[in-house]
């Protein structure tokens, strides 16, 4: 039974895609996320990770069940959920500052408040010196930090991230992990982070939601009881990684 006092409640969510062939992508998935918690969602290809992400984001509608944020049912996208995607989604004709400002342009705030918020976000992600550059001038890691700043600019309660670091090299990914955890601590946001990388999940998460495929079902929720920053070379870290891999393998 999901905790009704949780920040995010995924309650018996199922998703079926109708077409030439009916595909049951998710079946009766339930879990909750506490306020300020960092939760990773992992599982093999075909387990419905991205479908579940899109339902939580309000970009897809569940066939059955529901998602609630702060007790309110999710019926579509909202500024209470900021989204960061793997493919960046930056506007190439806008500078870094212009991209971060985009969401705020839809909000009822003064120009001065908007400008102040943009500068705060640029400082938060360490991109003030690149504020006037365009996406084509940025590295993959810098683009993803712009995406994070843009998502946080409207001050959402929940940050949703769909494999955001999958397309960057290992060293950049490690740096982004450090940056993301710092930003998470400073902002106290609730984070749901979809990844196919078990090591990444153990590095980041308070708990790891493990899905199994065909159709996507909840296998287990694994609490990660390790102090941060986490050393990937320790036996304790490797034990968590091995346990989650075995759950996915089963």
């Amino acid at each position: 039974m999901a905790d009704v006092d949780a920040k995010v409640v995924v309650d018996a969510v199922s998703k079926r895609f109708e077409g030439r062939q009916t595909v049951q992508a998710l079946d009766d998935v339930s879990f909750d996320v506490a306020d300020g918690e960092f939760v990773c969602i992992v599982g093999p290809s075909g387990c419905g990770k991205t479908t579940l992400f899109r339902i939580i984001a309000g970009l897809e509608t569940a066939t059955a069940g529901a998602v609630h944020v702060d007790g309110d049912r999710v019926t579509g996208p909202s500024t209470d959920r900021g989204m960061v995607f793997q493919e960046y989604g930056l506007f190439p004709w806008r500078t870094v500052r212009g991209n971060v400002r985009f969401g705020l342009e839809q909000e009822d705030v003064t120009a001065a408040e908007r400008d102040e918020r943009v500068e705060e976000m640029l400082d938060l992600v360490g991109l003030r010196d690149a504020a006037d550059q365009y996406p084509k001038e940025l590295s993959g890691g810098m683009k993803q930090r712009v995406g994070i700043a843009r998502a946080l600019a409207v001050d959402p309660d929940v940050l949703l991230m769909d494999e955001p670091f999958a397309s960057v090299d290992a060293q950049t990914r490690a740096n982004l992990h450090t940056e993301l955890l710092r930003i998470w601590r400073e902002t106290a946001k609730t984070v749901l982070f979809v990844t196919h990388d078990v090591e990444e999940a153990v590095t980041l998460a308070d708990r790891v939601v493990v899905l199994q495929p065909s159709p996507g079902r909840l296998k287990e929720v694994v609490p990660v009881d390790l102090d941060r920053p986490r050393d990937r070379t320790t036996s304790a870290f490797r034990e968590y990684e091995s346990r989650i891999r075995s759950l996915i393998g089963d």
Side-chain angles (χ1 to χ4, degrees):
M1 183 73 178
D3 179 359
V4 293
D5 294 324
K7 188 71 173 180
V8 180
V9 175
V10 178
D11 186 12
V13 165
S14 297
K15 178 63 179 181
R16 185 174 61 253
F17 291 101
E18 305 282 3
R20 278 178 155 186
Q21 193 174 8
T22 298
V23 176
Q24 186 75 34
L26 294 167
D27 183 36
D28 197 29
V29 175
S30 295
F31 63 91
D32 55 71
V33 183
D35 188 19
E37 190 176 20
F38 199 128
V39 169
C40 284
I41 302 171
V42 302
S45 296
C47 71
K49 297 187 297 293
T50 293
T51 300
L52 179 59
F53 171 91
R54 289 178 61 82
I55 291 170
I56 296 170
L59 300 172
E60 200 83 60
T61 304
T63 307
V67 175
H68 292 84
V69 176
D70 281 332
D72 295 325
R73 185 173 183 139
V74 171
T75 57
S78 169
T79 54
D80 66 357
R81 280 156 283 132
M83 289 173 272
V84 181
F85 301 96
Q86 179 181 339
E87 61 276 7
Y88 312 127
L90 304 182
F91 300 117
W93 60 88
R94 282 181 174 240
T95 62
V96 168
R97 184 179 278 113
N99 269 283
V100 174
R101 185 187 294 121
F102 175 74
L104 289 165
E105 291 171 356
Q106 325 305 315
E107 298 290 292
D108 185 21
V109 295
T110 66
E113 290 172 324
R114 187 166 59 231
D115 291 345
E116 182 181 358
R117 182 66 178 170
V118 169
E119 297 309 311
E120 285 177 10
M121 292 301 99
L122 292 173
D123 284 338
L124 182 68
V125 300
L127 286 177
R128 183 181 280 274
D129 290 344
D132 296 320
Q133 294 181 5
Y134 289 87
K136 66 181 180 181
E137 302 174 83
L138 306 178
S139 67
M142 291 171 77
K143 289 177 184 176
Q144 204 50 282
R145 282 191 282 158
V146 177
I148 293 169
R150 183 174 63 183
L152 289 174
V154 295
D155 199 24
D157 293 329
V158 180
L159 185 61
L160 302 175
M161 310 185 77
D162 187 14
E163 302 205 41
F165 307 146
S167 57
V168 299
D169 64 83
Q171 183 58 55
T172 300
R173 187 181 305 128
N175 292 339
L176 286 167
H177 289 161
T178 301
E179 284 295 292
L180 177 60
L181 288 171
R182 176 186 62 79
I183 290 165
W184 171 63
R185 284 193 301 272
E186 290 182 16
T187 61
K189 298 298 181 189
T190 304
V191 179
L192 276 86
F193 188 107
V194 174
T195 180
H196 65 278
D197 186 331
V198 173
E199 189 176 66
E200 180 169 66
V202 178
T203 297
L204 296 173
D206 292 318
R207 291 187 298 149
V208 179
V209 173
V210 183
L211 299 180
Q212 62 185 33
S214 303
R217 292 191 179 96
L218 180 67
K219 178 77 170 180
E220 193 171 321
V221 179
V222 180
V224 182
D225 187 18
L226 295 173
D227 292 336
R228 295 184 177 92
R230 293 172 180 167
D231 183 348
R232 301 182 184 205
T233 65
T234 64
S235 59
F237 186 100
R238 293 301 174 191
E239 283 171 16
Y240 277 109
E241 189 180 358
S242 176
R243 178 182 171 193
I244 293 168
R245 286 191 193 282
S246 69
L247 289 170
I248 292 172
D250 290 344

